Amino acid sequence: MRTAAVSAVVLSATLLASGSAGSTTATATAASAAGAPPSVTDSLPMYEPKHAAYDVEANDVFGLAVLSIAPVEVAAAPILPRPVAGLDQTQMNNAAAIVKQGRAQGIPEKGLVVAVATAMQESDLYNVASPAVPSSLKLPHDGVSADHDSVGLFQQRASQGWGSVPELMDPAHSAMLFYSALSEVSGWQGMSVTGAAQAVQRSAYPGAYQKHADRAEAVVAALT
C-alpha cells in the first residue's frame, strides 16, 4: 500500500475516534482512491460549538476546543460593626444607622451621643413595632413593645406628627427626624445629654437619658 493511502486511512480512523470525522472521511477516502494525497484543508472537520453557554474556541485540526470562561465576581459580605458596650449585633447595627445618618446631616459628635443615648432609653436600640399600630407589625422590626402608638428606635408617634409609620419604622429616617428636631433646639450643644434628649422627646421621665451617656459615648467612638 502506498504511503499516501496509509496516511489517509490513519487520519480517517483518528477523526472517527474523536467523533469529528463525518463527511470529511469520505473526502479523504475518495482522494486516496484516486491516488492523490488528501488536502490538509479538505480533511479538516467542520467545527461546531460544544456548548452554547461558553465562549468556545477551536485550536486544533481534530476539533478539540478550549473553553474560555469569564471569572464570576462574588460580592463581598458587608462588614458589620463590632458590638461594644454590651450591645448585641442588632443593637450595634441600629446604632451604626443612627450615627451614619447623623454624620450625613453634619451633626457633631455630641449630637450623635445624644441620639444613641435616646434610642437606648426609648427602645433599648431595637427597632420595635407596636400592637397599637397594626401596620408597624407588617414592616421589618426587631421586636414588639406597647407604649401608646410609639414605634421605632426613638418611639416616635405618627399621631403626634412625627411622620408616617413606614418612616418611623425606618432606622435612618427616624434618626433623621430626631436630628432635625434636635437642630431646632436652641443651645442644645451646651446641654447635658438628658437635657438635649428631653428637649426633643418630652418624656415623662426626663432624667432617664443621662444614665446612658457613657455607653453612648463608647458606641459613637467605636463607629467614628
Side-chain angles (χ1 to χ4, degrees):
M1 184 180 292
R2 288 180 298 176
T3 302
V6 172
S7 299
V9 171
V10 172
L11 177 60
S12 296
T14 304
L15 291 173
L16 284 171
S18 67
S20 309
S23 60
T24 57
T25 303
T27 301
T29 303
S32 64
S39 166
V40 174
T41 302
D42 292 340
S43 65
L44 286 176
M46 174 127 357
Y47 171 72
E48 294 181 0
K50 300 295 186 291
H51 198 296
Y54 300 118
D55 176 19
V56 185
E57 178 186 352
N59 72 338
D60 65 27
V61 297
F62 298 115
L64 299 181
V66 175
L67 299 182
S68 176
I69 305 175
V72 177
E73 293 186 6
V74 179
I79 300 175
L80 299 177
R82 184 176 63 85
V84 298
L87 302 184
D88 63 26
Q89 190 64 62
T90 298
Q91 292 170 304
M92 195 67 184
N93 292 347
N94 288 331
I98 293 172
V99 170
K100 181 179 179 180
Q101 181 60 40
R103 296 181 72 180
Q105 290 180 238
I107 303 297
E109 186 171 320
K110 172 71 176 289
L112 307 181
V113 172
V114 171
V116 171
T118 299
M120 284 179 168
Q121 173 59 29
E122 297 291 354
S123 65
D124 199 21
L125 273 174
Y126 290 113
N127 190 31
V128 293
S130 171
V133 186
S135 62
S136 70
L137 299 171
K138 300 177 183 179
L139 297 167
H141 57 280
D142 304 324
V144 177
S145 177
D147 180 9
H148 300 288
D149 59 345
S150 302
V151 296
L153 290 174
F154 295 92
Q155 291 290 276
Q156 295 154 330
R157 303 172 66 182
S159 64
Q160 300 297 311
W162 275 100
S164 68
V165 174
E167 289 173 338
L168 305 184
M169 290 295 295
D170 181 301
H173 195 95
S174 64
M176 182 273 290
L177 294 171
F178 177 86
Y179 288 124
S180 295
L182 180 64
S183 297
E184 303 247 337
V185 176
S186 179
W188 69 265
Q189 296 92 334
M191 296 179 179
S192 63
V193 168
T194 198
Q198 176 61 11
V200 174
Q201 298 295 101
R202 300 180 183 179
S203 170
Y205 306 96
Y209 303 102
Q210 193 65 40
K211 66 188 177 196
H212 301 288
D214 290 344
R215 290 176 68 217
E217 288 179 0
V219 170
V220 170
L223 292 169
T224 55

